[in-house]
Amino acid sequence: MAEINEAELMDALRECYDPEIPVNIVDLGLVYGMDINNETGNVDVTMTLTALGCPMAGEVMSEVEMRVRQVENVKNCKVELTFDPPWSPDRMTEDAKWELGMI
């Protein structure tokens, strides 16, 4: 059975950016979780967006799927969008806050 490397998945997700904020979705705190199934090669990503009515939601989700599928041993990726709990700037990493001039 081939293992899917979680660190490689996180690196792939760090290549995805919010279209309105020049920070990746991991540092923004938009990724709520990942479920990795090494037996099937499936990865399920649970994430949110900074705004409920984001017109770019489809594009962001498609990019997440594409990037995750590029990771070795990943056969399929499903992205689930949730707004519970709602995103807030408190979820951002210190690096993201620094990049945006918040600290």
Side-chain angles (χ1 to χ4, degrees), residues 60-72:
V60 173
M61 293 170 68
S62 292
E63 183 177 5
V64 168
E65 287 178 1
M66 178 199 67
R67 299 278 184 183
V68 168
R69 284 187 177 131
Q70 292 174 343
V71 173
E72 186 176 6

Side-chain angles (χ1 to χ4, degrees), residues 70-81:
Q70 292 174 343
V71 173
E72 186 176 6
N73 301 318
V74 173
K75 299 206 178 353
N76 194 30
C77 175
K78 182 178 126 203
V79 178
E80 181 180 341
L81 202 56

